[in-house]
Amino acid sequence: MAAKNQQNLHIAVLPWLAFGHIIPYLELSKHIAQKGHRISFISTPRNIDRLPKLPPHLSSSIALVKIPLPRIAELPENAEATMDIHAGQMGLLKKAFDALEPGLTRFLEDSRPDWIIYDFAAHWVPPVAVRLGISRAFFFIINAWFLGFFGATDTLISGSDYRTKPEDFMVPPKWVKFETKVAFRRFEAEWSDGASKSNESGFSDYYRIGKVIAGCEAILIRHCNEFEPEWLTLLEELHHRPVIPLGLMPPKVQDHSTNNDANHTVWTGIKNWLNRQNKGSVVYVALGSEVTPSQDQVVELAHGLELSGVPFFWVLRKVSASESKPVELPNGFEERVSGRGMVWRSWAPQVEILKHASVGGFLSHCGWSSIVEGLMYGNPLITLPFLVDQGLNSRVIVEKQLGVEIPRNEQDGTYTRKWVADSVKLVMVGEEGRKFQERAQEMSLVFGDEELHRRYIDTAIQFLQNHTMP
Ligand SMILES: *[C@@H]1O[C@H](CO)[C@@H](O)[C@H](O)[C@H]1NC(C)=O
Ligand SMILES: *[C@@H]1O[C@H](CO)[C@@H](O)[C@H](O)[C@H]1NC(C)=O
Ligand SMILES: *[C@@H]1O[C@H](CO)[C@@H](O)[C@H](O)[C@H]1NC(C)=O
């Protein structure tokens, strides 16, 4: 074997300031460290302090590097991640992130890693890394159809996209030559339109993504050849550089069943409740940590679940860190559904719940991680997408008949309790429901194949080794 293959690399890792990004970056870091390489995991002090504990055997190979986030006057004090702000402050957080450049440059000058793996917002990283002779990879935590929807590198950077109004995002882009239903709906398209325009930070998301791609030697992406592979090929055509699938990165199940686990009591309570339900009968309802449904949306969802008659376990988070007003359920709701419906208002072990035999479906916002977690245990989806990539993910799930999307008013995105109830019943009961569950079970052979997805990451690490600058 060539000497280079035995060389231990030092890799710097810089995720965007959102835990939905930080956690997959940390997972990738753990895999790389496991192979004997050294990681410098970079974020701001408060984010580093909020990371889950590293496994003891890896803690000496993963250095946690704190670079203070420069103060931006309009941003709340101590706001260092998207969970600390409301949607309107996103541009400011990006502006603060951009101000990390001098701090990061000093770190790179001092420690000279072999590679830096960076996120979509870090458009200023590649020039610094090139100057210092550091190799560069862009890790996109979402799938290839979402990145493919943005278009080619130059178009992203110059902003000369032919799509100028929301309607343009409601059909598949012209560079997609294969059959697909991947496109935004009217009430989602405004977001995509917004992402192509610059805001408080001075740069659009399109520009940022164009720049991080133009400056990288490889795109690492949470995707695999066993599910929608044509999008990977499309990305190579659009960007003219290697696109390395990392597999779907299915999470490891935490074992909360031992007495010394901090969350043992929580899990025991939930498990006992699930054990009392029939096999495959419960719909697990969770809209992720970044989605903040309005009071009306929560009320319709509640009535819909009640109307469906289907057993449910609903993880209902408080509104958001900055809007401290808790959402309210309809009067008497919890008493009326008692026994068959559980509303859970604090942290819950999602992956363990989805693995439980009583759970037979997942009503989800359709974030990519949630889809992976649902399908790895064969749960078909009832989709209720809100933001960013979620709508496109939902189109793929529906196209593959792995679930149904809750209908919505095309203009304003509102939905009714009846639409919720009908969708839940379609996936959870009867002959039709059985077919959804069968297809999802079949898909779990791909999504839940740990060995397959571990091999993808191993190959990606080999790529980094083979392509390190001498
Ligand atoms: C900034 O971009 C976001 C999407 O990333 C968009 O929702 C928002 O409206 C934009 N703000 C301004 C002031 O353009
Ligand atoms: C235990 O519960 C807390 C919330 O109470 C959560 O943040 C943490 O991630 C959980 N720990 C594990 C190992 O799952
Ligand atoms: C890396 O190089 C080794 C040895 O030349 C080769 O066997 C392997 O296929 C390469 N892997 C990747 C992903 O480039």
Side-chain angles (χ1 to χ4, degrees):
M1 207 190 276
K4 184 152 260 184
N5 283 342
Q6 282 145 19
Q7 160 199 332
N8 292 335
L9 301 175
H10 175 202
I11 302 181
V13 170
L14 177 69
W16 161 238
L17 304 174
F19 275 82
H21 292 239
I22 290 171
I23 298 301
Y25 269 73
L26 189 62
E27 284 309 309
L28 178 60
S29 299
K30 288 196 235 167
H31 279 284
I32 297 174
Q34 192 88 46
K35 292 276 163 191
H37 306 291
R38 219 149 45 83
I39 297 284
S40 291
F41 190 89
I42 305 164
S43 194
T44 61
R46 221 177 138 228
N47 291 343
I48 294 284
D49 290 340
R50 287 184 280 185
L51 290 179
K53 246 178 90 159
L54 289 172
H57 72 288
L58 295 180
S59 58
S60 64
S61 356
I62 303 182
L64 302 174
V65 180
K66 295 178 174 177
I67 302 184
L69 191 68
R71 276 295 286 147
I72 299 284
E74 309 93 316
L75 206 59
E77 191 133 10
N78 290 326
E80 297 189 2
T82 52
M83 64 152 99
D84 308 324
I85 59 168
H86 57 76
Q89 295 168 321
M90 202 61 97
L92 294 171
L93 191 63
K94 287 182 185 142
K95 191 171 165 184
F97 178 79
D98 291 344
L100 286 172
E101 178 175 352
L104 183 83
T105 303
R106 271 193 301 280
F107 172 78
L108 294 178
E109 281 168 350
D110 291 345
S111 63
R112 304 276 172 154
D114 299 295
W115 278 88
I116 181 161
I117 300 177
Y118 58 84
D119 211 338
F120 82 97
H123 64 98
W124 38 271
V125 163
V128 178
V130 167
R131 178 168 67 77
L132 299 172
I134 298 166
S135 302
R136 302 153 322 272
F138 165 41
F139 170 25
F140 191 69
I141 59 157
I142 307 175
N143 48 54
W145 57 79
F146 184 48
L147 191 52
F149 202 84
F150 283 106
T153 328
D154 293 346
T155 320
L156 285 164
I157 295 173
S158 65
S160 62
D161 197 303
Y162 70 97
R163 299 176 295 185
T164 55
K165 48 189 188 310
E167 289 74 21
D168 299 331
F169 296 90
M170 292 165 59
V171 288
K174 63 183 179 191
W175 47 83
V176 179
K177 305 293 184 214
F178 47 86
E179 260 314 298
T180 180
K181 297 235 161 45
V182 167
F184 287 106
R185 293 176 59 186
R186 150 93 18 236
F187 58 92
E188 300 164 338
E190 314 258 322
W191 171 81
S192 198
D193 195 39
S196 66
K197 308 215 161 70
S198 73
N199 51 35
E200 295 93 330
S201 79
F203 302 100
S204 70
D205 285 350
Y206 275 54
Y207 176 85
R208 289 174 186 276
I209 292 171
K211 279 295 194 185
V212 300
I213 292 176
C216 79
E217 291 155 80
I219 300 172
L220 311 177
I221 192 160
R222 191 177 182 184
H223 205 101
C224 67
N225 291 314
E226 289 73 15
F227 191 74
E228 297 286 291
E230 57 276 35
W231 293 95
L232 288 171
T233 319
L234 174 68
L235 285 182
E236 295 206 319
E237 286 162 15
L238 288 171
H239 299 298
H240 310 289
R241 47 189 31 81
V243 175
I244 318 277
L246 290 177
L248 300 179
M249 305 180 74
K252 289 218 165 41
V253 193
Q254 292 277 344
D255 183 9
H256 299 295
S257 54
T258 56
N259 272 320
N260 56 10
D261 183 277
N263 294 324
H264 172 70
T265 336
V266 174
W267 172 234
T268 308
I270 295 173
K271 192 173 64 180
N272 288 342
W273 187 86
L274 288 171
N275 285 346
R276 288 197 294 276
Q277 312 298 326
N278 293 330
K279 184 163 179 293
S281 70
V282 177
V283 58
Y284 173 65
V285 182
L287 301 179
S289 50
E290 308 260 337
V291 166
T292 52
S294 68
Q295 177 62 42
D296 287 351
Q297 287 170 328
V298 169
V299 166
E300 284 312 299
L301 182 52
H303 282 303
L305 290 170
E306 184 179 352
L307 208 59
S308 74
V310 170
F312 63 87
F313 189 98
W314 184 4
V315 178
L316 181 61
R317 297 255 164 78
K318 63 179 189 313
V319 188
S320 78
S322 43
E323 275 172 76
S324 46
K325 208 172 96 198
V327 288
E328 276 168 44
L329 290 169
N331 248 338
F333 172 75
E334 279 171 276
E335 295 82 76
R336 289 197 301 276
V337 299
S338 132
R340 80 161 165 95
M342 175 71 98
V343 181
W344 197 263
R345 289 168 188 275
S346 53
W347 178 85
Q350 170 153 308
V351 178
E352 278 191 287
I353 294 173
L354 286 165
K355 190 183 178 193
H356 194 283
S358 296
V359 174
F362 184 8
L363 193 159
S364 168
H365 66 304
C366 247
W368 189 216
S369 290
S370 287
I371 294 178
V372 171
E373 290 168 10
L375 287 178
M376 69 186 277
Y377 296 114
N379 295 297
L381 295 139
I382 299 110
T383 73
L384 189 57
F386 285 85
L387 303 164
V388 198
D389 58 317
Q390 296 158 14
L392 301 188
N393 296 344
S394 175
R395 305 303 107 76
V396 171
I397 292 301
V398 172
E399 199 174 357
K400 294 268 179 192
Q401 297 183 287
L402 294 167
V404 300
E405 184 166 322
I406 296 175
R408 286 194 182 210
N409 178 309
E410 205 60 40
Q411 294 301 321
D412 61 11
T414 52
Y415 54 84
T416 68
R417 56 196 72 181
K418 182 167 185 313
W419 294 345
V420 172
D422 289 349
S423 307
V424 168
K425 281 191 288 190
L426 194 58
V427 170
M428 296 302 295
V429 298
E431 183 57 18
E432 203 54 35
R434 207 177 48 76
K435 284 192 200 141
F436 276 113
Q437 299 203 346
E438 272 172 17
R439 282 189 294 266
Q441 285 292 341
E442 218 168 285
M443 200 46 77
S444 74
L445 300 180
V446 169
F447 277 67
D449 186 341
E450 275 181 43
E451 183 55 32
L452 172 75
H453 299 293
R454 204 182 43 70
R455 277 202 305 274
Y456 273 110
I457 296 198
D458 289 351
T459 306
I461 297 171
Q462 261 186 29
F463 177 92
L464 298 180
Q465 282 182 291
N466 289 2
H467 295 83
T468 303
M469 284 188 205

